[in-house]
Amino acid sequence: MTSDRVAHPIPETAYAVFGNPIKHSKSPAIHTAFADQCGDDITYRAVRVEIDEFELKATRFFQRGGGGLNVTLPFKERAFQLADESSDRANQARAANCLIPLPGGKLRADNTDGVGMIRDMVANHGWQLSGRQVLVLGAGGAARGVMHPLLMENPAQVIVANRTAERAQALAAQFSGHKVPVSGGGFESLQGQTFDLIINGTSASLDNEMVALPEITLTERCCCYDMMYGAEPTAFMRWAASKTPWAVSDGLGMLVEQAAESYFLWLGKRPNTRRVIQALRLQLSL
Ligand code: ATR
């Protein structure tokens, strides 16, 4: 039996990351690598969006059939506001880095940053988080974004410390209903305390600065994680290494894992992240 039907290729679906600035985004390379692995026919572009045009551009993107959008600084809070519905983790972060189109033209907001960080720590590095004394440095959007997934790992306690103490207190208060004790304050309140996981969620590393901490003790099993990454160890990582902790990591794995979670939300597939992290690490070192 013959058929006169011609097999048309399925048109590729458009994905993108919106931000400002966006020039150095690694998201297109990461998602293209995921799509190659999974055999998906997609395009993924980094788009610099003018500050007052985010809502317009995002709405138009989905009206034209966009399959999914990542959102980075400074639009994460506005992405959360724009969506018709949102996940628990986006609600807790009050910010979204991932928008998913729903049938009927509605949009769902999610936040994959926190789960990306936890997956990097636990699955990629083998760190244990339950029962640990955790210090989170910073009380901005980055720190807030990881609080909920962090608390879900059942650490013994989480202390949030920030240059502006009131912001740390407010962030801790937002999570005070959780069974894990959470408290917040200025850096000076850390004097003499002991930790076995320290997470840097400040943007000080962008200026190659380490936050001004008083004398604290790192346990033998202490792990230190900077949400930032770069070709060289960040100022926080250098500080951490001088305290001889058990392990130190930057946030390159978090970047790839948050992307993988977005990919899963859009396309229902979990790409292999290790190969992509290794490739990016190699690129950074060149
Ligand atoms: P993001 O969304 O990246 O978290 P943000 O909301 O502007 O950005 O927050 C930046 C965080 O880094 C804040 O916790 C900020 O401290 P303040 O709240 O006191 O401003 C912190 N930060 C930035 N530069 C810092 C520095 N040099 N020393 C200490 N903390 C710093």
Side-chain angles (χ1 to χ4, degrees), residues 35-100:
D36 284 349
Q37 265 186 43
C38 298
D40 290 321
D41 197 10
I42 69 165
T43 61
Y44 189 108
R45 289 190 311 134
V47 181
R48 182 181 174 278
V49 173
E50 295 303 329
I51 298 300
D52 56 353
E53 289 194 334
F54 172 73
E55 288 76 8
L56 177 76
K57 290 283 169 71
T59 305
R60 202 177 282 165
F61 176 81
F62 284 108
Q63 280 168 350
R64 289 177 178 165
L69 204 56
N70 280 135
V71 179
T72 188
L73 300 179
F75 300 124
K76 290 184 181 183
E77 282 83 6
R78 283 162 63 182
F80 174 68
Q81 297 292 340
L82 179 69
D84 302 283
E85 62 176 65
S86 42
S87 67
D88 263 4
R89 53 197 187 193
N91 288 334
Q92 300 275 345
R94 294 186 206 142
N97 71 330
C98 183
L99 290 173
I100 306 135

Side-chain angles (χ1 to χ4, degrees), residues 73 138-142 162-164 167 187 201-204 209 211:
L73 300 179
N162 194 44
R163 181 173 59 185
T164 313
R167 283 186 90 188
F187 293 140
T202 73
S203 50
E209 280 177 17
V211 302

Side-chain angles (χ1 to χ4, degrees), residues 159-166 168-169 184-191 214:
I159 294 179
V160 182
N162 194 44
R163 181 173 59 185
T164 313
E166 298 74 36
Q169 285 155 359
F187 293 140
E188 67 293 342
S189 64
L190 300 174
Q191 176 71 44

Side-chain angles (χ1 to χ4, degrees), residues 135 137 161 186-193 195 210-218 239 243:
L135 169 60
L137 299 173
F187 293 140
E188 67 293 342
S189 64
L190 300 174
Q191 176 71 44
Q193 299 210 50
F195 296 100
M210 172 56 191
V211 302
L213 291 185
E215 200 53 41
I216 59 173
T217 303
L218 281 61
W239 168 85
K243 301 277 179 189

Side-chain angles (χ1 to χ4, degrees), residues 204-205 207-211 226 232-240:
S205 292
D207 302 321
N208 205 19
E209 280 177 17
M210 172 56 191
V211 302
D226 199 335
E232 303 294 330
T234 64
F236 168 78
M237 292 169 73
R238 294 196 301 273
W239 168 85

Side-chain angles (χ1 to χ4, degrees), residues 15-276:
Y15 295 81
V17 57
F18 282 8
N20 189 342
I22 198 72
K23 208 167 158 202
H24 299 293
S25 173
K26 301 208 178 302
S27 293
I30 295 170
H31 283 280
T32 302
F34 289 168
D36 284 349
Q37 265 186 43
C38 298
D40 290 321
D41 197 10
I42 69 165
T43 61
Y44 189 108
R45 289 190 311 134
V47 181
R48 182 181 174 278
V49 173
E50 295 303 329
I51 298 300
D52 56 353
E53 289 194 334
F54 172 73
E55 288 76 8
L56 177 76
K57 290 283 169 71
T59 305
R60 202 177 282 165
F61 176 81
F62 284 108
Q63 280 168 350
R64 289 177 178 165
L69 204 56
N70 280 135
V71 179
T72 188
L73 300 179
F75 300 124
K76 290 184 181 183
E77 282 83 6
R78 283 162 63 182
F80 174 68
Q81 297 292 340
L82 179 69
D84 302 283
E85 62 176 65
S86 42
S87 67
D88 263 4
R89 53 197 187 193
N91 288 334
Q92 300 275 345
R94 294 186 206 142
N97 71 330
C98 183
L99 290 173
I100 306 135
L102 299 173
K106 293 197 164 174
L107 281 183
R108 179 173 170 82
D110 208 328
N111 193 315
T112 66
D113 286 332
V115 75
M117 184 191 77
I118 299 294
R119 219 163 266 160
D120 192 37
M121 288 177 175
V122 175
N124 297 342
H125 296 310
W127 298 359
Q128 191 197 316
L129 306 188
S130 68
R132 300 292 161 114
Q133 294 285 341
V134 182
L135 169 60
V136 174
L137 299 173
R144 189 162 27 134
V146 300
M147 284 297 287
H148 177 64
L150 179 62
L151 292 170
M152 297 304 281
E153 295 296 310
N154 285 317
Q157 185 182 13
V158 175
I159 294 179
V160 182
N162 194 44
R163 181 173 59 185
T164 313
E166 298 74 36
R167 283 186 90 188
Q169 285 155 359
L171 182 58
Q174 188 195 326
F175 291 92
S176 61
H178 207 279
K179 65 179 183 217
V180 175
V182 183
S183 58
F187 293 140
E188 67 293 342
S189 64
L190 300 174
Q191 176 71 44
Q193 299 210 50
T194 300
F195 296 100
D196 31 32
L197 173 63
I198 305 177
I199 300 167
N200 183 29
T202 73
S203 50
S205 292
L206 287 177
D207 302 321
N208 205 19
E209 280 177 17
M210 172 56 191
V211 302
L213 291 185
E215 200 53 41
I216 59 173
T217 303
L218 281 61
T219 60
E220 254 178 28
R221 61 184 181 176
C222 185
C223 298
C224 296
Y225 194 94
D226 199 335
M227 290 191 214
M228 302 275 168
Y229 68 88
E232 303 294 330
T234 64
F236 168 78
M237 292 169 73
R238 294 196 301 273
W239 168 85
S242 75
K243 301 277 179 189
T244 58
W246 185 63
V248 180
S249 175
D250 69 5
L252 187 68
M254 173 180 176
L255 174 76
V256 177
E257 295 295 343
Q258 65 75 29
E261 184 70 11
S262 295
Y263 199 90
F264 175 72
L265 293 170
W266 298 327
L267 291 149
K269 296 176 188 172
R270 289 205 180 275
N272 178 321
T273 51
R274 274 175 202 243
R275 275 159 40 193
V276 179

